[in-house]
Amino acid sequence: HSYLTLIGIDTLALRMERLCANALAVARFLKSRPEVAWVNYPGIEDHPCQAVAAAQFGGKGCGGLLTFGLKDQAACFAFINRLKLVIHLANLGDCRTLIIHPFSTQYVSFDDAVRQRLRIGPEMLRLSVGIEDADDICADLGQALEQTG
């Protein structure tokens, strides 16, 4: 395990730089889409925590994780099923872009009051952005959104 960790550490800074840039590009793309109800990513300019995130992360990016909402759970499932590049998987921080519907997976056993308090709704998707080309990620998300309506 130590050997594999050391191999991965060699390129960690480069991978983090790429996924942070990709996450910002994807967040901006999703925010521009009429099918998307909201986007939560501290790197976007109008996020209420943008200044704090920029200060805490030294302006190097805000990580690769973001959430966004569609109109309802059915739209989320249809969207996930239409993705071709983005992988439907519960992991975080992979080199590949991954998506999950938290309401029906990680938080399925939580009662409604807890999910509401945590702001985990049926319209929410969690995206862990990877290091693929940002245009390819956005193209895949875009074609899935167009088909989902």
Side-chain angles (χ1 to χ4, degrees), residues 15 19 65 91-96 98 128-129:
R15 287 181 283 127
L19 76 83
L65 188 65
N91 291 358
L92 298 171
D94 200 300
C95 290
R96 298 162 297 176
L98 312 172
S128 178
V129 181

Side-chain angles (χ1 to χ4, degrees), residues 85-87 94-99 127-132 137:
L85 172 73
V86 177
I87 301 167
D94 200 300
C95 290
R96 298 162 297 176
T97 300
L98 312 172
I99 195 162
L127 191 66
S128 178
V129 181
I131 62 171
E132 306 95 341
I137 299 167

Side-chain angles (χ1 to χ4, degrees), residues 52-63:
V52 172
Q56 287 183 341
F57 296 119
K60 293 183 178 183
C62 295

Side-chain angles (χ1 to χ4, degrees), residues 49-98:
C49 298
Q50 196 272 337
V52 172
Q56 287 183 341
F57 296 119
K60 293 183 178 183
C62 295
L65 188 65
L66 62 94
T67 56
F68 64 100
L70 299 180
K71 68 180 176 182
D72 56 25
Q73 183 168 302
C76 290
F77 290 164
F79 174 77
I80 288 171
N81 288 333
R82 288 181 172 89
L83 292 167
K84 297 175 182 170
L85 172 73
V86 177
I87 301 167
H88 184 207
L89 197 61
N91 291 358
L92 298 171
D94 200 300
C95 290
R96 298 162 297 176
T97 300
L98 312 172

Side-chain angles (χ1 to χ4, degrees), residues 8-22 130-131:
I9 286 175
D10 287 343
T11 59
L12 180 61
L14 184 59
R15 287 181 283 127
M16 286 302 297
E17 184 179 306
R18 176 71 174 257
L19 76 83
C20 286
N22 282 356
I131 62 171

